[in-house]
Each structure stands twice: as structure tokens, then as C-alpha cells.
Amino acid sequence: NQQTEEKVVTHVIRPTLGAQFQAADLSDITQTSKIFEGKEFCVINGPSSLSKAAIEKKVAEYGGSVVQNPGSTTFCVLADKVVMRVTNLMKRDLYDIVKVDWFKRCLDAQTFIPWAPADMIHTSAKLRLHINNLCGGEPAD
């Protein structure tokens, strides 16, 4: 007179991101430098010679942190190609979007190199205002 209970198992199939969009596993990274210390990066893509995951690992090795979506504490967005996501971030005008080449130059020089106009894919409204204030300001009498 024993009752049998049936367990109903449901499987939820979640969409997955392609490998090129996923965050790198940074758990085994050893920091070797502090040139990006205190700076948060959002990496969109990299050139064929340096994948998104490889860039994220380098950010961590050099003391920076990585986010998948930029926010108010993001230092800059790194991109090699202007894809739809980069275009959408440009429209929001909140983030400085910098070429991966700048990042590679910093690694090669082993030092933080200030951005030059040629390094920028997009300059945020905040940075444009800052530059305008530095360069423009009030005319002298």
C-alpha cells in the first residue's frame, strides 16, 4: 500500500553568450603592475591579435578592474571596431571610448599614457566640457 511520488523535473534553457562576448575568468590573474590601479574598464572588442578576454586579463594584471557594462565609475570603454554596441554607447554620450591601440601602447611602455585625440573613438560630453574649459575659458583682456 505504498504510494509512489513522481518528481517532475523541468529544465530551463537559458540563452548563452558567444565566447567573444563573455567575461574573462580573472580568478587566476596575478597583478604584475599598478598602471591601471583604481581604473574600471569596459572592453567591447579587440583586434584579431588580442581578444576581448585577453584584454580583460591584461587590465586585471595591470591593476585595473573590468565590467561588462559601463557605469558611473567606468574610466573608459575600450574598443577596436565600432560595432552596434559602441554606436549605442556613443549615442548615450556618457563614456569615453578609447581605441585598444592606446591600451597596447600603455602595456608596451609599462606606464599610463594620457589620451591623445587620435586615441579616441568617442569623447564624452563631460570630457569635451573639461577640454573646452582648459582650452577655451574666458578670453584675456
Side-chain angles (χ1 to χ4, degrees):
N1 203 14
Q2 210 173 356
Q3 286 183 329
T4 58
E5 289 182 30
E6 279 188 47
K7 282 189 177 177
V8 178
V9 178
T10 58
H11 293 283
V12 178
I13 299 171
R14 292 188 172 87
T16 57
L17 285 171
Q20 73 273 28
F21 300 114
Q22 291 179 2
D25 177 8
L26 304 178
S27 59
D28 61 343
I29 297 297
T30 303
Q31 185 177 327
T32 58
S33 170
K34 293 184 175 189
I35 64 173
F36 297 128
E37 190 171 48
K39 292 181 172 42
E40 181 182 275
F41 293 83
C42 175
V43 182
I44 305 294
N45 56 42
S48 54
S49 60
L50 193 65
S51 70
K52 175 183 185 294
I55 295 167
E56 289 175 341
K57 288 180 178 182
K58 287 292 182 192
V59 167
E61 281 177 30
Y62 284 77
S65 60
V66 175
V67 293
Q68 296 309 304
N69 294 296
S72 61
T73 57
T74 303
F75 171 67
C76 76
V77 173
L78 288 173
D80 182 64
K81 296 172 271 312
V82 177
V83 293
M84 184 172 290
R85 181 150 185 232
V86 173
T87 305
N88 289 340
L89 289 171
M90 289 166 69
K91 286 178 190 168
R92 290 175 63 193
D93 207 17
L94 297 172
Y95 310 106
D96 296 310
I97 305 173
V98 185
K99 295 176 184 173
V100 172
D101 282 345
W102 164 82
F103 180 77
K104 290 178 4 186
R105 285 200 330 272
C106 289
L107 299 184
D108 291 345
Q110 294 289 303
T111 189
F112 181 84
I113 300 168
W115 298 325
D119 297 322
M120 308 305 289
I121 292 173
H122 178 78
T123 308
S124 66
K126 184 178 174 184
L127 183 58
R128 285 194 309 272
L129 184 64
H130 179 71
I131 292 168
N132 191 41
N133 289 340
L134 286 176
C135 300
E138 292 294 317
D141 288 316

